[in-house]
Amino acid sequence: MRNKRISIKDIAEKANVSIASVSRVISNKPGVGKDTEKRIRSIMDELGYKPNINARSLVKKNTGNIGVIIPGGFTTLQNSFFLTIIEGISKIIDTTEYNLIISFTSKQHEKMLDTNIVDGILVLAPRENEINLQWLSDLKLPTVIIGSFIDDSNFDIVSADEKSGVRFSVEELYKKNHRHIALINGPSTSYQSKIYEQGYKSIVNELGLEKYILELDEFDIKGQEQLVEEFLNDHKEITGMICSSDNIALGIINVAKELNIDIPGQLSIIGSDDTPVSHLITPKLSTTHVDLKEIGETAVTRLLIRLSNEKEELRRMNCIFPMKYIERETTTFLK
């Protein structure tokens, strides 16, 4: 049998105060003496009282929910890039009374936003074919974009400096005498992929190198191993690869091993974002580091600021986190 839910009335009776006084304490409103407040809070702890968020939401005219839009369907759960950012988001949410509602598909995105069940949203690495940013802007819902810098955006943006990350990677391989350097990229519908490609083309043009680009359907190679194998066989001159995610890099390493390509002796590989997987594989992955947890924490903190200042016109914020190259075991000097 379930235990009876403790109500405000129960707290008031035990503290010998009015229900209004208990309500003021719960809502952090003035009008209750310090000793009385202390007694009320002590009884709340003693009885294990939990505020009814739904009831309070009706009073405040909000939902108590924050939406998180994640691209790529449920396969995204296998990508530690998204999981690490969500870990940062959750750390901050745990200090508030908000709940997280996570959406993985276009239909789920539309349902969540059309039914007004969230007060604000965090959009991770958006894709053109999954969510219309103009429609999102027209909703006038507090929104923060994570992981993709978008020019002329109306939204707050918190992202890694991915163009610099790609530049650092290509420059490192160039310093190691590599002259045939490829980019293995995610889907072209992803704004994140577009940034990687822009950064790659820019530095390759500066160095006068030939361009090699393989576009995948996702930020890993699962189900696309044959495509990667054909690319490696068709371009045996390639000695260096820049990958737009650590997951892609891990997949490349596995395919290269199947083809008896020595890593890094014949092929140097660099990932992106320094996710936990980069430390777990053998050889350990060279990559570009950014603090993904802090990106998540910063994004949700910014959204909370917007939610607490909805009546004020806040300036749009671009928060771009620096990236740095991390040398490990998948890169070497080309002899």
Side-chain angles (χ1 to χ4, degrees):
M1 186 175 179
R2 295 179 63 184
N3 294 330
K4 175 180 177 289
R5 184 182 179 91
I6 303 300
S7 68
I8 291 180
K9 183 180 178 182
D10 296 325
I11 304 295
E13 287 178 353
K14 182 147 187 166
N16 196 26
V17 297
S18 69
I19 292 176
S21 293
V22 177
S23 180
R24 288 192 185 95
V25 171
I26 293 172
S27 302
N28 295 311
K29 291 182 178 179
V32 179
K34 288 185 178 179
D35 290 341
T36 302
E37 179 182 352
K38 186 176 180 181
R39 186 168 78 255
I40 291 171
R41 291 196 182 280
S42 176
I43 292 171
M44 286 167 59
D45 291 339
E46 176 189 336
L47 298 180
Y49 173 75
K50 301 292 183 186
N52 186 327
I53 293 176
N54 290 333
R56 292 181 62 189
S57 295
L58 290 173
V59 175
K60 294 181 179 180
K61 295 184 180 179
N62 62 22
T63 68
N65 298 321
I66 286 176
V68 181
I69 289 178
I70 300 177
F74 294 99
T75 58
T76 302
L77 289 174
Q78 302 169 14
N79 193 323
S80 53
F81 169 83
F82 295 104
L83 293 176
T84 308
I85 290 176
I86 291 172
E87 185 179 346
I89 292 170
S90 296
K91 180 181 176 182
I92 300 299
I93 288 295
D94 282 349
T95 67
T96 74
E97 291 186 356
Y98 279 99
N99 300 307
L100 285 183
I101 297 180
I102 299 180
S103 167
F104 292 94
T105 66
S106 296
K107 283 189 176 180
Q108 290 178 5
H109 305 338
E110 291 177 9
K111 283 181 184 177
M112 181 172 68
L113 297 174
D114 282 342
T115 53
N116 299 315
I117 61 172
V118 295
D119 299 324
I121 51 172
L122 301 166
V123 186
L124 272 68
R127 300 182 185 182
E128 292 173 329
N129 61 333
E130 292 192 14
I131 189 162
N132 185 307
L133 294 183
Q134 183 56 55
W135 172 69
L136 192 60
S137 178
D138 292 341
L139 292 176
K140 306 297 182 184
L141 194 66
T143 301
V144 177
I145 303 289
I146 307 176
S148 298
F149 180 78
I150 303 172
D151 289 324
D152 302 321
S153 166
N154 294 323
F155 307 109
D156 290 329
I157 291 176
V158 182
S159 178
D161 188 356
E162 289 149 340
K163 280 188 180 179
S164 292
V166 174
R167 174 174 288 270
F168 295 153
S169 298
V170 173
E171 288 176 340
E172 285 295 330
L173 289 179
Y174 189 83
K175 290 174 187 176
K176 291 177 171 60
N177 277 346
H178 295 270
R179 296 297 181 266
H180 298 280
I181 302 169
L183 169 66
I184 313 301
N185 206 4
S188 62
T189 55
S190 167
Y191 292 95
Q192 197 174 17
S193 296
K194 296 178 190 296
I195 295 168
Y196 278 106
E197 184 171 339
Q198 290 168 7
Y200 169 79
K201 287 181 176 179
S202 175
I203 182 60
V204 165
N205 284 338
E206 285 182 30
L207 296 173
L209 303 180
E210 187 174 350
K211 300 179 190 68
Y212 303 90
I213 300 175
L214 175 62
E215 179 190 310
L216 301 175
D217 292 337
E218 194 46 73
F219 284 98
D220 62 49
I221 72 165
K222 188 175 182 181
Q224 301 173 92
E225 292 86 353
Q226 185 64 36
L227 182 64
V228 172
E229 185 175 327
E230 291 173 0
F231 184 79
L232 288 169
N233 285 328
D234 290 344
H235 301 285
K236 294 184 184 295
E237 71 275 19
I238 291 174
T239 61
M241 281 190 170
I242 309 301
C243 302
S244 60
S245 79
D246 287 342
N247 276 37
I248 289 177
L250 173 60
I252 299 292
I253 290 171
N254 290 334
V255 171
K257 286 179 179 177
E258 291 291 325
L259 296 175
N260 294 315
I261 298 173
D262 179 61
I263 307 293
Q266 294 173 272
L267 182 65
S268 288
I269 297 175
I270 300 177
S272 180
D273 298 319
D274 197 22
T275 58
V277 69
S278 64
H279 305 269
L280 301 176
I281 62 175
T282 302
K284 288 183 173 58
L285 181 64
S286 297
T287 187
T288 48
H289 173 81
V290 67
D291 194 331
L292 295 175
K293 286 183 186 177
E294 191 175 352
I295 284 178
E297 292 173 13
T298 301
V300 71
T301 298
R302 179 60 180 178
L303 183 60
L304 291 170
I305 290 172
R306 283 216 170 267
L307 289 171
S308 62
N309 295 275
E310 285 191 83
K311 294 182 180 180
E312 299 180 27
E313 189 68 31
L314 299 180
R315 292 181 61 185
R316 186 173 67 87
M317 181 195 77
N318 287 334
C319 183
I320 308 301
F321 280 70
M323 302 189 81
K324 64 179 180 179
Y325 175 69
I326 305 293
E327 179 84 19
R328 293 199 182 104
E329 299 171 352
T330 58
T331 46
T332 191
F333 201 94
L334 187 64
K335 297 177 182 178

